Amino acid sequence: MAKSPTPAASAVPSSPWLRPLRRYLPIVDWGLNYQSTDLVGDAMAGAIVAIMLIPQGMAYAMLAGLPPQVGLYASILPLMLYAALGTSRALAVGPVAMVSLLVATSVGQVAEAGSADYLAAALALALMIGIIQVVMGVVRLGFLVNFLSHAVIVGFTNAAALVIGASQFKHLLGVKIPSSESFFATLSHLVQAIPETNGVTLGLGLGSMAVLLFFGKRLPKLLQDWGVPPLWATPISRGGPLLVVLATILLVALLGLDSRSGVAIVGEIPSGLPPLTRPPLDISLWQRLMPMALTISFVGFMESIAVAKSLASKRRQRIDANQELIGLGAANLGAAFTGGYPVTGGFSRSFVNFTAGANTGLASIITALLIALVVLFFTPLFYYLPQAALAAVILVAVLNLLDFDSLKHLWRADRADAWVLIITFMAVLIVGIEAGIVVGFITSVVFYLGRTSRPHIAEVGRVGNTEHFRNIKRHEVQTYTNVLAIRIDESLYFANTKYLEDYLLYAVADHPSADSLLLICSAINHIDGSALETLENLIEGLREAGVTVYLSDVKGPVMDQLLKAGFVDHLGGSERVFLSTHQAMEALGKVTA
């Protein structure tokens, strides 16, 4: 009897009517094939992530300028929706630091923090992001995120980490400073406010950070040295945030630090499940929020898909980028209608979810159910939670966002990408989050156009008696006086056709005895209309000068394009197009078989 479900589960997916459900509703796939052996890992992972997410959710909501319970509301239905619709078995969706900062930046421009309009704008932003991501997934536009380069993302992330950190120091010091989008303005305000520092608040904050850093950095190694099994070591080492929350609540409550020492606390958090909410459908509000909605949709998805693919590769699982967009979009729609705010997949919680043993989306559902229990029965316990402790949770979390190794790597590998990273980083710090990422995107596109507008082109010769032809500047090769062989190492489009034309004309001028020009097209993946017209004009000009143009190594799709456009006929027929450079040289009588 115990074995009967297994054959049935494996047979069910073969039903034709279930195949679309498995594709568009991944919970059907892992739900019908669920193995009892996966339950322990899912339950353990769900509980550990809940322990992390409760303090983080409240902290990130406050970073977004929202009441702490909003972070908890955003950690219930969104997690369940993603578990049903997302393809990653380990991605932990919920509030994250970077998206929270972006929410604060955008919503702060349309409403005053703490007001009802502020929360309404955050709900509208979540709704917009949900719609954008679902639509992108349905029409299969997941590839669009590729236009945000790795350099832009790293530069943006590093700068955002500093902006987030600076924004939390006021809670750590126990001071009040004006809100500002400028990192340097915030630093200036902090320096001026240092004399007003609340020593008790600072002590609570620094102590919390010390505990969190110990749990995150030192304790796992100690537990390993002490021989503690991983089953217990993982929840113990990941329990730092919960321990900090409980310990600081007790200290403030028992010693009356809120009234005696002026320690700022969270205060009353409403009990009960998330309310059903209706985001405003104000066209003018949506127009003002649209730039940031697009930014969060792209940046949030980039972070999520990178984490999901990384974890899936460790278990040889597949991730569908377009279905991920649908899952994340549904999560944001859920947040919009249940009093939450924009969510995405986070690296640290996803990694913990994975290492704690998450096997299916049930782990996220368990996390959501545990947090629902907290908001139902235990929110009064957080009344005395000091804001300094939540600031410490955020500060330690954003330390993981800082990535200076990527800059070193990019500087060695590609200086242009390194400069894109640096420019994005500085732009975010100087002109703000929203404008900074736009500057980074534009810089990345400009650098790309600059690089591809001057493609690498090389004159090649034959290596010994082989069939290989290589760059004459890099290898000892044999060339021929009346055949000029040129390899083009880039697809051809409007931005680089002028450079190509000038290069070829100069090359022909430098080889007055050449009566044949062989263009080696092995690296060309596409030729646009502008490039074709330039090549046709070039062929006519060279023909009048007594030079015949030939092609070799043309890829199939490019050849189809050339035939369809009539370019091959203009060239002089298919007999002037060769399968390989060696075959071309044989036909031109320069080498023997």
Side-chain angles (χ1 to χ4, degrees):
M1 295 295 292
K3 294 184 179 180
S4 60
T6 303
S10 60
V12 166
S14 63
S15 303
W17 64 273
L18 267 180
R19 290 171 187 165
L21 285 180
R22 290 182 61 202
R23 179 176 178 181
Y24 298 110
L25 203 62
I27 192 173
V28 172
D29 187 19
W30 61 259
L32 291 177
N33 294 283
Y34 197 83
Q35 303 292 320
S36 59
T37 52
D38 292 338
L39 182 59
V40 173
D42 283 339
M44 178 67 72
I48 293 172
V49 173
I51 289 171
M52 291 182 67
L53 186 52
I54 290 168
Q56 283 185 353
M58 292 190 292
Y60 293 154
M62 296 184 69
L63 172 61
L66 296 163
Q69 68 269 17
V70 173
L72 298 177
Y73 296 161
S75 305
I76 301 176
L77 184 60
L79 274 68
M80 295 182 176
L81 290 173
Y82 177 79
L85 296 168
T87 57
S88 173
R89 305 291 181 92
L91 188 68
V93 170
V96 298
M98 188 181 302
V99 170
S100 300
L101 175 65
L102 294 173
V103 169
T105 300
S106 58
V107 177
Q109 296 175 356
V110 300
E112 183 180 351
S115 66
D117 289 342
Y118 192 95
L119 177 57
L123 295 174
L125 186 61
L127 177 60
M128 294 169 67
I129 293 167
I131 293 172
I132 291 169
Q133 290 181 328
V134 168
V135 170
M136 286 179 63
V138 169
V139 300
R140 308 189 71 79
L141 293 179
F143 71 91
L144 289 178
V145 298
N146 296 333
F147 289 96
L148 277 178
S149 70
H150 175 67
V152 171
I153 293 297
V154 173
F156 169 74
T157 302
N158 278 277
L162 294 182
V163 174
I164 293 169
S167 71
Q168 294 306 295
F169 269 98
K170 62 183 179 182
H171 299 302
L172 202 66
L173 299 176
V175 298
K176 293 183 178 180
I177 61 172
S179 297
S180 174
E181 291 184 36
S182 170
F183 170 75
F184 297 105
T186 301
L187 281 186
S188 176
H189 293 316
L190 284 171
V191 171
Q192 295 174 20
I194 285 178
E196 303 170 13
T197 298
N198 184 312
V200 176
T201 299
L202 180 61
L204 284 171
L206 293 178
S208 298
M209 287 187 68
V211 171
L212 291 169
L213 289 171
F214 173 76
F215 269 71
K217 303 293 184 182
R218 297 292 302 279
L219 187 57
K221 180 68 166 58
L222 290 175
L223 293 174
Q224 184 180 6
D225 293 342
W226 294 339
V228 178
L231 183 65
W232 292 103
T234 298
I236 292 172
S237 61
R238 299 301 175 180
L242 186 62
L243 175 62
V244 163
V245 166
L246 296 176
T248 54
I249 287 174
L250 287 174
L251 281 173
V252 173
L254 295 176
L255 301 179
L257 298 180
D258 56 322
S259 55
R260 291 183 182 179
S261 304
V263 173
I265 59 174
V266 168
E268 185 177 356
I269 299 177
S271 297
L273 291 175
L276 292 177
T277 50
R278 188 177 66 179
L281 303 177
D282 185 336
I283 298 299
S284 61
L285 175 64
W286 281 43
Q287 288 176 339
R288 297 176 69 183
L289 292 176
M290 183 56 72
M292 189 55 77
L294 291 169
T295 299
I296 295 176
S297 298
F298 278 76
V299 172
F301 177 63
M302 284 285 290
E303 181 177 358
S304 297
I305 198 68
V307 175
K309 285 185 175 180
S310 174
L311 297 178
S313 66
K314 298 178 186 296
R315 293 180 179 170
R316 298 189 179 184
Q317 295 170 345
R318 296 195 313 173
I319 298 296
D320 183 334
N322 292 300
Q323 186 62 33
E324 283 297 291
L325 276 167
I326 294 174
L328 291 171
N332 278 293
L333 292 176
F337 290 104
T338 56
Y341 76 108
V343 298
T344 193
F347 175 77
S348 59
R349 288 196 305 271
S350 297
F351 184 76
V352 170
N353 197 37
F354 179 85
T355 55
N359 297 299
T360 68
L362 181 61
S364 290
I365 295 175
I366 291 172
T367 297
L369 292 175
L370 291 175
I371 294 176
L373 288 176
V374 169
V375 299
L376 269 174
F377 303 111
F378 300 108
T379 51
L381 297 178
F382 297 109
Y383 181 88
Y384 289 103
L385 176 61
Q387 293 183 9
L390 293 180
V393 170
I394 294 174
L395 285 167
V396 172
V398 298
L399 286 176
N400 294 323
L401 296 177
L402 293 172
D403 179 13
F404 297 110
D405 289 337
S406 288
L407 176 59
K408 296 177 183 177
H409 174 73
L410 288 176
W411 191 260
R412 291 193 298 265
D414 189 335
R415 294 289 174 89
D417 269 356
W419 278 112
V420 169
L421 188 157
I422 293 169
I423 291 171
T424 305
F425 177 83
M426 295 305 301
V428 170
L429 295 183
I430 294 171
V431 301
I433 297 289
E434 191 171 354
I437 197 167
V438 172
V439 170
F441 172 74
I442 293 174
T443 302
S444 180
V445 171
V446 169
F447 274 57
Y448 171 78
L449 291 175
R451 182 171 62 248
T452 57
S453 68
R454 296 177 60 86
H456 181 263
I457 303 174
E459 180 183 349
V460 302
R462 188 185 187 191
V463 180
N465 293 320
T466 71
E467 296 184 5
H468 300 291
F469 290 78
R470 295 292 184 267
N471 192 334
I472 64 171
K473 295 180 179 179
R474 292 178 177 270
H475 302 273
E476 291 290 336
V477 294
Q478 179 184 1
T479 59
Y480 308 97
T481 56
N482 67 326
V483 177
L484 176 60
I486 300 291
R487 191 185 69 228
I488 305 167
D489 294 334
E490 185 70 71
S491 293
L492 302 179
Y493 72 118
F494 64 92
N496 60 21
T497 53
K498 179 61 177 173
Y499 178 82
L500 172 65
E501 182 181 26
D502 291 343
Y503 183 97
L504 293 178
L505 289 175
Y506 280 123
V508 170
D510 289 339
H511 296 75
S513 58
D515 56 19
S516 298
L517 173 62
L518 175 64
L519 299 181
I520 304 169
C521 306
S522 55
I524 297 178
N525 298 313
H526 178 74
I527 304 177
D528 75 357
S530 297
L532 281 177
E533 185 175 356
T534 299
L535 288 175
E536 287 175 355
N537 293 334
L538 183 66
I539 290 169
E540 284 296 330
L542 291 176
R543 184 178 293 145
E544 293 176 3
V547 178
T548 304
V549 178
Y550 300 88
L551 303 181
S552 75
D553 301 272
V554 182
K555 293 182 177 178
V558 177
M559 190 63 187
D560 294 340
Q561 181 187 6
L562 298 182
L563 289 168
K564 186 177 180 180
F567 179 84
V568 175
D569 293 333
H570 190 85
L571 183 67
S574 57
E575 62 271 13
R576 293 190 179 173
V577 181
F578 299 97
L579 186 64
S580 67
T581 306
H582 183 74
Q583 186 186 80
M585 289 300 187
E586 280 185 332
L588 294 174
K590 294 304 171 186
V591 298
T592 56

